[in-house]
């Protein structure tokens, strides 16, 4: 069924042609459901039951991270806002409230799509003022969530970034990344490319409950192996580790052994982060699925976003143990940080010196 027929935001019918009049162009959206800047239409389709896509035209897609932020990147691109992965623990939930959506169900079901992202980004990267700083993708919502199969925004984004001589990183749970492996291999001959897969558990049943819209852990392990077979580096972001749910020695041993078997080039691991917006949604889920843990979480997190220092120190010790056991000691894992140019490279003309071909040396 065509998506055009599923539009919830109707468009004006073009005026009939008259002699000598130009052919009518695309009609603007009317009666918008939400006050979203640049809204073209809102679409619902049986392929994505319960999800509404709000297609917008963006004026800018290159975002500067505020100075003073502790994020390991300075510039980001997010072609989507909201995420059908529906991860209960997602740290980005509160950002949906900036669009007058809620951080709970709306984050999972009201997805904003910047349909002109690639074109706008190419223009922004062509400006003389652009210093070819590293650009991070997958910092707020997943660029390879299921909608990417329909909208196919990432190929144009990757080409625009690589053609401009800009290094970039991608973090995703989405196996749609496999579609772009040939493109990523080519991009890695132009600029440094840093690829990361988010995977913090191997328990298929738990994953289906807590991150219901994501590809299964097995599917993501296969993606890691495919990237490595293609000669591309692939670090893993093993976050969040969930207290009393995925932090046992059995769970950690299973995770690190499977990552080693898949060929991951490094692992970064850390405890669940419960910032406002996420905390309320996660605790509601916990009360429904594991009510016996609610009191433990309240004591562990208190009124803050971080688990206690004692717990984080304990977890670091356990993850370091399993890193050593499976050969990850000394690896850099994934942090969006590794694709950065040196100052000398950043000062050179775009494309003047191609990065080493994939497989010549680790990208991490």
């Amino acid at each position: 069924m065509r998506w055009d027929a599923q539009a919830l935001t109707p468009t004006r019918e073009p005026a009939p042609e008259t002699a000598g009049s130009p052919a009518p162009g695309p009609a603007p959206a009317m009666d918008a459901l939400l006050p979203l800047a640049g809204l073209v239409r809102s679409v619902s389709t049986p392929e994505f039951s319960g999800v509404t896509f709000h297609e917008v035209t963006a004026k800018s897609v290159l975002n500067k991270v505020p100075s003073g932020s502790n994020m390991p990147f300075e510039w980001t691109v997010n072609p989507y806002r909201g995420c059908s992965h529906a991860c209960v623990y997602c740290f980005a939930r509160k950002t949906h409230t900036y669009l007058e959506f809620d951080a709970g169900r709306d984050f999972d079901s009201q997805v904003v799509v910047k349909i002109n992202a690639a074109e706008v980004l190419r223009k922004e990267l062509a400006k003389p003022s652009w210093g070819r700083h590293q650009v991070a993708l997958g910092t707020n919502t997943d660029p390879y969530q299921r909608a990417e199969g329909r909208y196919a925004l990432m190929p144009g984004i990757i080409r625009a970034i690589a053609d401009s001589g800009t290094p970039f990183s991608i973090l995703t749970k989405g196996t749609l990344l496999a579609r772009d492996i040939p493109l990523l291999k080519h991009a890695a001959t132009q600029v440094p490319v840093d690829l990361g897969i988010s995977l913090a558990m191997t328990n298929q049943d738990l994953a289906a409950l807590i991150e219901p819209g994501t590809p299964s852990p097995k599917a993501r392990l296969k993606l890691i192996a495919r990237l490595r077979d293609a000669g591309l580096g692939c670090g893993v972001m093993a976050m969040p580790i969930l207290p009393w749910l995925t932090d046992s020695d059995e769970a950690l041993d299973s995770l690190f052994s499977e990552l080693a078997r898949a060929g991951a080039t490094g692992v970064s691991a850390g405890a669940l982060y419960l910032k406002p917006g996420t905390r309320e949604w996660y605790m509601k889920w916990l009360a429904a699925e594991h009510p016996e843990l609610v009191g433990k979480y309240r004591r562990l997190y208190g009124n803050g976003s971080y688990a206690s220092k004692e717990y984080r120190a304990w977890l670091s010790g356990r993850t370091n143990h399993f890193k050593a056991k499976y050969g990850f000691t000394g690896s850099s894992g994934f942090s969006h940080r590794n694709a950065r140019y040196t100052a000398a490279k950043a000062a050179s003309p775009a494309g003047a010196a191609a990065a080493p071909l994939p497989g010549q040396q680790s990208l991490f």
Side-chain angles (χ1 to χ4, degrees):
M1 189 177 294
R2 290 177 57 86
W3 277 47
D4 288 349
Q6 304 302 307
L8 300 179
T9 304
T11 54
R12 302 180 193 277
E13 290 295 324
E17 290 187 61
T18 57
S21 66
M30 62 183 293
D31 300 326
L33 301 180
L34 295 163
L36 291 172
L39 179 66
V40 176
R41 64 175 183 172
S42 296
V43 180
S44 180
T45 171
E47 296 171 76
F48 295 85
S49 179
V51 180
T52 299
F53 297 96
H54 304 284
E55 300 175 355
V56 303
T57 53
K59 293 182 178 180
S60 174
V61 295
L62 190 59
N63 309 306
K64 180 72 168 68
V65 176
S67 59
S69 168
N70 60 358
M71 295 297 178
F73 42 80
E74 298 176 13
W75 295 87
T76 68
V77 169
N78 289 290
Y80 302 95
R81 299 287 298 274
C83 187
S84 61
H85 284 343
C87 300
V88 176
Y89 53 73
C90 183
F91 72 91
R93 286 184 171 277
K94 188 174 177 61
T95 64
H96 226 42
T97 64
Y98 307 157
L99 303 177
E100 298 186 18
F101 292 116
D102 70 52
R105 188 68 62 194
D106 284 355
F107 183 84
D108 305 337
S109 63
Q110 304 293 325
V111 178
V112 177
V113 185
K114 301 173 186 178
I115 56 176
N116 62 338
E119 295 85 353
V120 172
L121 180 61
R122 186 172 287 275
K123 292 178 181 178
E124 290 183 296
L125 297 176
K127 292 179 180 179
S129 59
W130 175 242
R132 298 192 299 281
H133 309 286
Q134 182 203 346
V135 171
L137 297 106
T139 61
N140 192 59
T141 55
D142 200 314
Y144 283 103
Q145 59 181 285
R146 283 184 59 217
E148 174 60 15
R150 151 68 188 180
Y151 288 102
L153 300 178
M154 284 298 288
I157 289 171
I158 291 169
R159 290 189 188 98
I161 295 174
D163 290 349
S164 73
T166 298
F168 66 95
S169 59
I170 299 173
L171 177 65
T172 184
K173 290 185 175 80
T175 52
L176 275 167
L177 176 72
R179 177 200 65 193
D180 294 341
I181 286 177
L183 183 59
L184 290 165
K185 288 182 68 175
H186 177 70
T189 70
Q190 300 173 275
V191 296
V193 176
D194 190 14
L195 301 176
I197 302 301
S198 177
L199 179 58
M201 67 187 77
T202 57
N203 184 321
Q204 305 276 350
D205 294 335
L206 178 60
L209 284 173
I210 203 164
E211 43 187 39
T214 66
S216 70
K218 285 184 179 179
R220 279 175 272 169
L221 288 166
K222 289 180 180 178
L223 175 60
I224 294 168
R226 287 190 64 178
L227 289 168
R228 299 298 291 126
D229 289 344
L232 291 163
C234 182
V236 170
M237 181 72 80
M239 297 182 186
I241 304 296
L242 307 174
W244 295 289
L245 292 173
T246 61
D247 63 352
S248 68
D249 278 2
E250 180 183 10
L252 293 173
D253 190 86
S254 174
L255 175 63
F256 281 87
S257 65
E258 291 293 339
L259 294 178
R261 186 175 294 112
T265 51
V267 184
S268 300
L272 174 67
Y273 177 50
L274 289 179
K275 66 184 297 185
T278 302
R279 183 188 182 103
E280 295 81 0
W281 194 244
Y282 182 83
M283 293 300 289
K284 180 179 179 180
W285 175 87
L286 194 69
E289 298 293 337
H290 294 279
E292 75 282 1
L293 296 180
V294 171
K296 292 183 177 181
Y297 268 76
R298 286 175 177 162
R299 289 189 292 274
L300 184 64
Y301 283 85
N303 295 320
S305 300
Y306 296 95
S308 69
K309 291 182 179 179
E310 293 78 10
Y311 177 84
R312 284 180 280 145
W314 172 83
L315 181 61
S316 178
R318 299 317 296 151
T319 57
N320 286 338
H321 167 78
F322 289 108
K323 282 183 181 181
K325 181 176 179 179
Y326 291 105
F328 291 114
T329 300
S331 64
S332 59
F334 182 85
S335 69
H336 278 299
R337 189 186 297 276
N338 303 307
R340 290 180 176 177
Y341 272 135
T342 63
K345 287 182 179 178
S348 64
L357 289 168
Q360 286 184 311
Q361 66 180 41
S362 171
L363 297 181
F364 294 83

